[in-house]
């Protein structure tokens, strides 16, 4: 996998990978010189972790022939206040609701994963 990040001015960047060719914008907060038009790198990182979790859970439930009614991932992390900024002390909750109970009670309606 390869990617490229191109500076678009001020603190705005456009990124693209060779996998899908889709682009994402990355910006800094306005108080750090950004325009506030896109998520920050740390926000992208946090959502990437949630996205990996969500895709895995949905794929597993589909293999188990489970039909989801509702699902989301709530993720949180504390950001180190000093430079360099790092994320620490994080966690995620993944509540889900299925249409009907599955084998052996897997993924009971309203169950929280995580």
């Amino acid at each position: 996998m390869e990617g490229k990040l191109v500076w678009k001015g001020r603190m705005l960047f456009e990124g693209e990978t060779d996998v899908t060719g889709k682009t994402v914008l990355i910006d800094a907060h306005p108080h750090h010189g950004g325009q506030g038009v896109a998520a920050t790198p740390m926000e992208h990182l946090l959502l990437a972790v949630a996205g990996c979790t969500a895709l895995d859970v949905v794929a597993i439930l589909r293999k188990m022939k489970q039909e989801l009614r509702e699902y989301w991932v709530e993720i949180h992390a504390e950001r180190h206040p000093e430079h360099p900024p790092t994320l620490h002390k994080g966690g995620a909750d993944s509540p889900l609701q299925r249409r009907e109970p599955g084998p052996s009670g897997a993924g009971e309606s309203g169950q929280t994963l995580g």
Side-chain angles (χ1 to χ4, degrees):
M1 180 185 317
E2 294 182 14
K4 183 177 184 179
L5 199 60
V6 178
W7 179 59
K8 296 295 187 178
R10 294 185 65 177
M11 297 294 279
L12 183 65
F13 290 83
E14 182 179 77
E16 179 181 357
T17 67
D18 64 343
V19 177
T20 64
K22 304 289 187 212
T23 60
V24 296
L25 291 176
I26 298 173
D27 198 4
H29 288 286
H31 62 272
H32 288 263
Q35 301 169 69
V37 298
T40 67
M42 288 295 200
E43 290 170 312
H44 279 284
L45 180 60
L46 191 68
L47 293 177
V49 171
C52 289
T53 300
L55 292 172
D56 286 346
V57 168
V58 170
I60 290 166
L61 290 173
R62 283 185 177 167
K63 285 182 182 178
M64 295 172 60
K65 309 260 190 262
Q66 300 298 304
E67 188 176 340
L68 284 174
R69 193 173 72 213
E70 189 174 356
Y71 174 64
W72 64 92
V73 177
E74 293 177 1
I75 190 163
H76 57 91
E78 291 181 19
R79 189 172 175 171
H80 191 274
E82 298 172 16
H83 197 74
T86 58
L87 296 177
H88 59 102
K89 295 184 184 177
D93 292 316
S94 269
L96 65 90
Q97 291 185 357
R98 295 179 301 104
R99 294 212 184 272
E100 55 189 62
S104 304
E108 291 294 327
S109 181
Q111 180 176 350
T112 298
L113 304 175

